[in-house]
Amino acid sequence: MAPMSQWAGIESDAAVARRPPAPSPATGQGSGNGAAGNGATGNGSGRPRPRLKRAERLITGSIDGAAHVLQRRGRHVLVGSALLMIPMTALTLWLSVLAYDDFDRFDSLFGDRGWIGAEAGGAFFALAVQSLTAHLVGAYCAAYQVKYQLGGDPGIREPMVATLRRVPLLLITWALTHWWALLVALGVINAELADLAGVAFFLIPLLTMLSALVVLVVPVMMGERVGVRAIPRGIALARRRFGPVMGFVLANGLIGGFLVTFIALLPAAAEGTGLLTFGSVRWLVQGVAAQVAALVVVPFTALAAAEMYLQVRVHAEGLDIVLAADRAFGSPG
């Protein structure tokens, strides 16, 4: 007869359910039913105890969870994100220099002549590279956040390796889910300020809705280890809690914008109050402050998106119950 699983033992003979635990290979004694038998894993299952908790408010709970991880694991999150952001920043500078050196080549694409076309081309390439950078940093932070919330103790190497292995897939998913954002950026660069004010009322809700549909794609790819199938899976998952996800995109964007503005304006505020004076190096200090703002805000918003993915799965699929059951009774997978 095949061995009975522990799931079946719940409703079977009581003797089976009360069967003593097997001896631990390390101690030769039963592992018991608590931390005394198996340390942090508990219950003798060898599985780590998940840190993931159900948040009753999806939006604030996700943002708070991201802040919690950033506070406790800031070194891992920020250093790993910087390793991805620094090469992309260098790529942005190289593309900007290339745009100014060969500005005549941008005439047909941006519709301007001379240095105006080069400026538009540099701005467009900068936005495109920044979007791709946020996509890669989002993958790293999602791998870190999921591992941490499921009870792991990740460092920098593990999520970084997982991200680098999926760079080709991340490029594909970025192109498939952000092509519309590049078109909007191209239109904004070439539009007049008066025209932008007229369409902003309709454009902002549309962009928020499109962003909400794809905001969970990268966390799905890194958390469930799938490829391009992460796109329909992420969209379907977002649609199951579309109202909170759309509100999360708005709240996450506003908080990120406020943080970027606050950090970037710190040098100007210090000079305005007379606390510090930077003199001829003010431009350098301002540039460093802008990069520090990006280094903090991009990982924070990425962590919040990964936490939103986990919370949506908790609310829509009972992920916390599944994890608790698998930890208590084991899982064949």
Side-chain angles (χ1 to χ4, degrees), residues 102-275:
D102 300 328
F103 59 90
D104 287 333
R105 300 182 183 182
F106 299 98
D107 293 342
S108 60
L109 179 61
F110 297 99
D112 294 318
R113 298 296 302 178
W115 292 104
I116 298 177
E119 291 175 357
F124 175 77
F125 286 134
L127 290 174
V129 174
Q130 288 173 7
S131 175
L132 179 58
T133 303
H135 201 70
L136 297 177
V137 173
Y140 171 82
C141 292
Y144 192 97
Q145 180 84 351
V146 171
K147 183 74 173 179
Y148 178 80
Q149 292 290 51
L150 297 188
D153 187 22
I156 298 176
R157 183 178 180 276
E158 183 178 357
M160 181 63 67
V161 170
T163 301
L164 295 179
R165 286 178 176 175
R166 290 173 173 80
V167 166
L169 290 173
L170 289 169
L171 291 174
I172 294 173
T173 56
W174 173 75
L176 292 177
T177 58
H178 289 74
W179 59 269
W180 51 270
L182 297 179
L183 292 180
V184 171
L186 186 60
V188 168
I189 290 173
N190 290 277
E192 298 293 336
L193 184 60
D195 297 333
L196 290 177
V199 301
F201 182 79
F202 302 98
L203 191 61
I204 291 177
L206 177 62
L207 294 180
T208 303
M209 182 184 67
L210 293 176
S211 299
L213 286 174
V214 299
V215 70
L216 303 182
V217 170
V218 171
V220 166
M221 172 180 289
M222 304 306 295
E224 302 179 18
R225 299 180 182 179
V226 295
V228 182
R229 289 181 300 170
I231 298 176
R233 163 68 173 161
I235 293 175
L237 200 58
R239 290 178 61 186
R240 299 186 68 175
R241 294 294 185 274
F242 190 69
V245 171
M246 191 168 177
F248 165 78
V249 170
L250 281 173
N252 207 27
L254 287 174
I255 292 175
F258 283 135
L259 286 175
V260 167
T261 303
F262 176 78
I263 298 175
L265 291 180
L266 282 178
E271 279 195 324
T273 58
L275 181 63

Side-chain angles (χ1 to χ4, degrees), residues 1-13 15-19 325-326 328-333:
M1 179 180 296
M4 184 183 304
S5 69
Q6 297 186 35
W7 283 95
I10 297 176
E11 298 182 356
S12 62
D13 183 54
V16 176
R18 293 193 300 267
R19 184 172 53 193
D326 286 346
F329 305 111
S331 172

